[in-house]
Amino acid sequence: MILWEVLAKEYAAIHGAYSMKRGTPDSPTGGYAPGNVECPSSHPIIRAASGLSDNETAWLQLRRNKTVGPMISILTRANISGFDASEYITRIAGNSNILPNIGIAISGGGYRAMLNGAGFVAAADSRTENSTNAGGIGGLLQSATYLSGLSGGAWLVGSLYANNFSTVTTLRDGSPGSSVWDFENSILRGPESNGLSITNTADYYDVLQADVDSKANAGYETTVTDYWGRALSFQLVNASNGGSAYTFSSIALDKSFVGGESPFPVLVADARAPGTTIISLNSTVYEFNPFELGSWDPTTYGFAPLRYIGTNFSGGVVLPKAPCVRGFDQVGFVMGTSSSLFNQFLLQINSTAIPDAMKNSLTAILERIGSNENDVSLFKPNPFFGYNNSTNENSHSTQLTLVDGGEDGQNIPLSPLIQPFRALDVIFAVDSSADTGFYWPNGTSLVATYRRSLNITLENGTAFPAIPDQNTFVNLGLNSHPSFFGCNASNLTGEAPLIVYVPNSPYIIHSNFSTFKPDYNSTERNLMIQNGYDVATMGNGTVDSIVGMEQ
């Protein structure tokens, strides 16, 4: 039996587990610190990236079937002339090689990206009121197989799944005693009150300090990302004190995921080579998904089981007589890893606003790792130690250093979605990057992914549509409305997915807030989400005349 199926059965046996309103506290310590556990009978190993995992393959059989109905619905509503959507999808429903395989990628860009992306997801979600009316795209989310996020986009994706795949409107509107998606108080101040133990900023920092200390006292090295991830959790996870024991791998145990009712979530981070501080386009790209952490790149070319990521692996196997470890993949830490560029939020706090104990801890961390590495997330022990020694630049390091997934210029998390084994046909790329001096996108991320796909040492079978340079991109107005890339087969380097590019642009609000804007009042938050919704649908199809430019 596949490990995922075993875990699902264990989880179902927990009294009332499926009636929980939030994700799963899966850390054996009951808190932020990872803890030792007995290894399962089928010992965790590092597998080669020579195909999809058994878990993902089994899950896909459920999910692909669940996309058929929504796909028929949304294509029928599109009323495409000369095309009987219902007949076509019904006829090919049993053949996953032909059934359209859809992905959605949400870019980085801080809260701007999170909220703009939330607008797109709300528009694509058939559970959103009126999203399936004329001109709407409701049901696209239910038709999608994959949903990826990076940095600010990772906050959105992580928050949706940490809260049992809640709707955007549910998280936006909140609930009594909850601080989830309440961005009026800067993350530097903490929640006004979550109805439980946080009553003021001092209490908030005390909790952050105690949680990170618990990890350090358990023998694990910590970085600024630990504090950052815990702070994020207060805003993004609807649980007591931000759900310190909630893990990203526990998504695999969530009822909606187990039943294939939601897309496959993927978060992205970049590797930093030992002894360096520069991230380039040829840096190894890592992904987190509910089952694994790893990379498709021919450098690492391997995946580790995410639930046991703190375990001491060497050469792809657990060291003899060593215990397994769970809880290292705390959900805020994973979201913080994908957005570690924002660690500077914590590093720029006025010295009078932070308790001395926490200030001393941050100072000690910077002295240990160096101030030039304040954006790193530390995975120690390194799960890929001694693995693929000839190509893996981290194979001889006892730690794996990951940073914000957008630092290599690929600010849209497309890399996991263009892998040949996943065989996506179309990807909706929601871009909230701040490529220009006025915080608008100009196609830089698409250009970076295209250029990387041409690098024969890294492309690993991936292909991507041809993308014009940034000046041409802007001159053609491709950064001001949805555009299609990949319609012309002569512009492809191989079997590449169609890219539907959806850039952040002003519709009902000038949505180009600074990437590092630390707070949004409820009016700003709601307008940003609505703007993203309207850009996604072009005002429910009222301005279709400027959509559909094919490249």
Side-chain angles (χ1 to χ4, degrees), residues 3 6 38-44 308:
L3 175 60
V6 174
E38 184 177 349
C39 289
S41 56
S42 55
H43 268 53
Y308 298 102

Side-chain angles (χ1 to χ4, degrees), residues 38-224:
E38 184 177 349
C39 289
S41 56
S42 55
H43 268 53
I45 62 170
I46 310 301
R47 71 170 185 89
S50 54
L52 300 179
S53 69
D54 290 343
N55 285 328
E56 185 174 344
T57 300
W59 177 88
L60 281 169
Q61 294 176 7
L62 293 172
R63 179 58 185 169
R64 298 305 304 280
N65 287 333
K66 293 294 176 67
T67 66
V68 172
M71 210 176 295
I72 290 174
S73 177
I74 190 171
L75 288 175
T76 300
R77 293 199 324 269
N79 195 26
I80 303 171
S81 178
F83 176 62
D84 187 338
S86 179
E87 185 279 331
Y88 175 72
I89 297 298
T90 301
R91 175 163 46 87
I92 67 171
N95 188 341
S96 61
N97 292 323
I98 302 176
L99 184 68
N101 195 6
I102 301 170
I104 300 172
I106 311 294
S107 83
Y111 292 104
R112 179 190 64 248
M114 177 189 174
L115 297 174
N116 181 61
F120 181 93
V121 169
D125 191 346
S126 61
R127 298 172 297 174
T128 303
E129 186 176 2
N130 298 324
S131 67
T132 58
N133 288 353
I137 61 171
L140 177 62
L141 183 64
Q142 283 69 28
S143 302
T145 309
Y146 292 91
L147 176 62
S148 65
L150 180 158
S151 201
W155 305 346
L156 170 63
V157 175
S159 185
L160 292 173
Y161 285 85
N163 295 292
N164 299 128
F165 200 58
S166 294
T167 65
V168 166
T169 51
T170 297
L171 293 171
R172 179 200 65 192
D173 296 341
S175 59
S178 169
S179 60
V180 70
W181 284 36
D182 182 356
F183 307 122
E184 194 143 358
N185 265 17
S186 162
I187 200 169
L188 305 182
R189 288 180 54 195
E192 194 68 39
S193 173
N194 68 354
L196 295 163
S197 61
I198 302 297
T199 59
N200 55 48
T201 299
D203 283 350
Y204 171 64
Y205 281 119
D206 285 346
V207 171
L208 299 186
Q209 182 71 57
D211 283 347
V212 178
D213 281 351
S214 71
K215 181 176 178 179
N217 292 336
Y220 298 91
E221 288 192 32
T222 58
T223 65
V224 181

Side-chain angles (χ1 to χ4, degrees), residues 291-316:
F291 301 125
E292 298 179 305
L293 162 67
S295 177
W296 298 98
D297 288 354
T299 47
T300 301
Y301 197 66
F303 283 88
L306 184 61
R307 198 180 193 216
Y308 298 102
I309 204 64
T311 303
N312 208 333
F313 291 90
S314 181

Side-chain angles (χ1 to χ4, degrees), residues 151 234 367 402 413 551:
S151 201
F234 278 85
E367 289 176 347
L402 300 181
Q551 304 299 314

